[in-house]
Amino acid sequence: MHHFKLLLLLAPFVVSSFVLKSPARSSTTRTTSRLHEKSVSVILDSTLTEERVTSLFAWVSRAFDGEDEYNNLMLGLAAVFGTNLPLDSQPIKMLERAENMLKGEEVLTGEAINRFRREEASLGAMGAAQWTGQWKTRPHALINVTNMTTIDEWTKSLPRGCKRTLKKANAQNFTIASKPILSDEPAPHSSLAHFRCVVEHEVRLLAGIEGDIEGFFDALSVAISRYIGTTRMAGVIQEYRNEDGKIIAFAHEVRKARTIRGQWFYADDEASRSYVWFHSVQELLNRAIETDGIDTVDLGPSGSDAFSELKAKYGFESIDDWPAFADYTSGPFHYDGEDADAENDDERKSMLQLLRMLGRE
């Protein structure tokens, strides 16, 4: 029997288990599932297609909107990836209804969250537990830009292979738009198009070898969780489109005090072949160098030693005591062109008072 972490994301599930079938394998694992108290075997095909990503987004969107009957991700997986459910079955009918309610590829569907709640949601991923003295987090990859005056200085310091990679990245025909995450508005990356980037990114990185069905559904679990997380946080989105105007990637950045954090990066399969991540790191550094009051760029912790080594090639050193070098506590979150203190002032003061009590502000 396969165990799915994604079952824990939304609610206790009705469908208890599946028949799992991989396109790359002839064997299946048979277990029993309960739909409307009728024992059935559901065959799940772990092939990821654009249509299935659309269907998955339709299902979870209904759950996000508070429709309790959709607050059952296991049932949604049966509807989206199941190959043998009757067309008149409850999951298929629910899926059809959810799909009919979709408003468009780039329509923003996220919750309108106020600035303070977004900042609060950002702190965990930023590693605030360490700078507030609660517990030690993983090492962060940092680079100091205090003595840099142009991005060319950084580029010239890199190994030859890194320079070649950046040259390829800069030769790509994509466009970038900077989109701030505003208070009391849906996040600018809370759309189906952005959800596709997150899903393809996590499946590509986490699903493992072809035919790893458990890994595939674990990756979907992570993707949904990461999409929820990034669309609830503060900061700004750097949105990448290809020459046809299709969204292929986005980088989520957060600026606080004297540090800019590369918080999240998600790219579809096309962007992964177009050196978009390398371009996003270059542009993040360039903005930091050109911005007064920024000392450090923080790419955060790495999921593997190999990724830490890759960051190191581009000048980012993984440091255990990173709050000693990345200043997050001498100032508030920064918002370009906005008065950060004009809204939610009482809530903001409460948070700052808490940090002062901890000796961190």
Side-chain angles (χ1 to χ4, degrees):
M1 179 175 179
H2 292 263
H3 171 72
F4 299 110
K5 294 179 182 176
L6 69 88
L7 306 183
L8 305 178
L9 274 179
L10 297 179
F13 46 90
V14 175
V15 181
S16 60
S17 51
F18 299 98
V19 176
L20 298 173
K21 183 177 181 181
S22 167
R25 295 180 179 176
S26 59
S27 61
T28 61
T29 302
R30 289 193 171 274
T31 51
T32 302
S33 176
R34 189 168 297 276
L35 296 173
H36 283 308
E37 300 190 1
K38 177 181 178 181
S39 180
V40 297
S41 292
V42 181
I43 300 174
L44 292 184
D45 178 1
S46 61
T47 304
L48 190 68
T49 65
E50 286 192 6
E51 292 76 15
R52 283 176 171 167
V53 175
T54 300
S55 296
L56 182 61
F57 184 75
W59 186 282
V60 298
S61 293
R62 295 296 91 227
F64 296 158
D65 280 354
E67 297 191 33
D68 290 341
E69 62 270 31
Y70 289 91
N71 199 28
N72 181 341
L73 191 54
M74 196 64 157
L75 192 66
L77 290 178
V80 174
F81 293 94
T83 62
N84 64 326
L85 285 173
L87 295 179
D88 61 350
S89 64
Q90 179 204 17
I92 295 300
K93 288 183 176 180
M94 290 175 63
L95 182 60
E96 289 176 349
R97 175 179 175 272
E99 290 171 340
N100 289 334
M101 296 181 71
L102 282 178
K103 298 178 180 178
E105 185 78 12
E106 296 187 24
V107 175
L108 302 182
T109 61
E111 182 182 355
I113 302 173
N114 70 40
R115 178 175 292 155
F116 174 76
R117 287 176 57 206
R118 289 195 179 281
E119 292 178 0
E120 190 176 39
S122 303
L123 291 173
M126 293 172 72
Q130 185 157 337
W131 84 59
T132 57
Q134 298 177 62
W135 64 78
K136 188 176 181 180
T137 64
R138 292 180 292 167
H140 281 211
L142 310 178
I143 189 169
N144 187 284
V145 299
T146 304
N147 296 323
M148 296 184 190
T149 57
T150 68
I151 193 64
D152 289 340
E153 294 176 20
W154 170 72
T155 305
K156 290 177 181 178
S157 71
L158 299 178
R160 184 177 301 175
C162 296
K163 293 177 182 177
R164 286 198 297 265
T165 298
L166 288 174
K167 185 176 181 179
K168 293 176 182 177
N170 289 317
Q172 302 298 313
N173 191 20
F174 43 62
T175 57
I176 308 103
S178 183
K179 297 186 175 182
I181 301 174
L182 303 177
S183 181
D184 294 316
E185 293 187 18
H189 56 313
S190 60
S191 77
L192 169 57
H194 298 89
F195 182 75
R196 291 190 194 281
C197 294
V198 181
V199 170
E200 289 191 24
H201 186 96
E202 296 299 343
V203 169
R204 185 174 61 253
L205 293 183
L206 302 178
I209 63 173
E210 185 176 0
D212 178 7
I213 304 172
E214 184 174 347
F216 173 78
F217 287 105
D218 282 347
L220 288 182
S221 168
V222 172
I224 295 170
S225 178
R226 294 287 173 83
Y227 172 80
I228 295 171
T230 183
T231 56
R232 295 186 63 83
M233 296 181 186
V236 62
I237 300 302
Q238 307 297 335
E239 182 184 83
Y240 283 77
R241 293 176 183 264
N242 65 12
E243 58 185 356
D244 297 321
K246 176 179 177 289
I247 295 173
I248 58 172
F250 66 89
H252 183 166
E253 303 167 3
V254 183
R255 177 181 169 188
K256 187 177 187 301
R258 302 185 69 85
T259 302
I260 295 182
R261 168 70 188 276
Q263 190 95 316
W264 306 106
F265 175 83
Y266 298 109
D268 68 10
D269 294 340
E270 176 186 346
S272 72
R273 299 186 294 268
S274 303
Y275 307 97
V276 174
W277 180 80
F278 300 95
H279 188 273
S280 73
V281 171
Q282 170 190 268
E283 294 307 296
L284 176 61
L285 264 172
N286 190 39
R287 283 189 292 276
I289 292 169
E290 294 182 347
T291 302
D292 291 336
I294 294 297
D295 298 331
T296 306
V297 174
D298 180 2
L299 291 186
S302 302
S304 66
D305 290 341
F307 200 25
S308 293
E309 292 170 3
L310 176 63
K311 292 176 182 178
K313 290 180 180 179
Y314 287 84
F316 290 82
E317 180 183 359
S318 291
I319 299 175
D320 286 332
D321 187 19
W322 55 268
F325 301 90
D327 176 9
Y328 281 107
T329 61
S330 68
F333 286 82
H334 178 82
Y335 299 88
D336 288 332
E338 294 186 53
D339 181 1
D341 293 321
E343 188 177 334
N344 306 311
D345 192 53
D346 291 339
E347 292 177 318
R348 184 182 303 279
K349 288 179 180 178
S350 296
M351 183 169 70
L352 293 177
Q353 182 179 7
L354 173 61
L355 291 174
R356 291 190 186 101
M357 289 172 60
L358 293 168
R360 302 288 172 174
E361 181 72 28

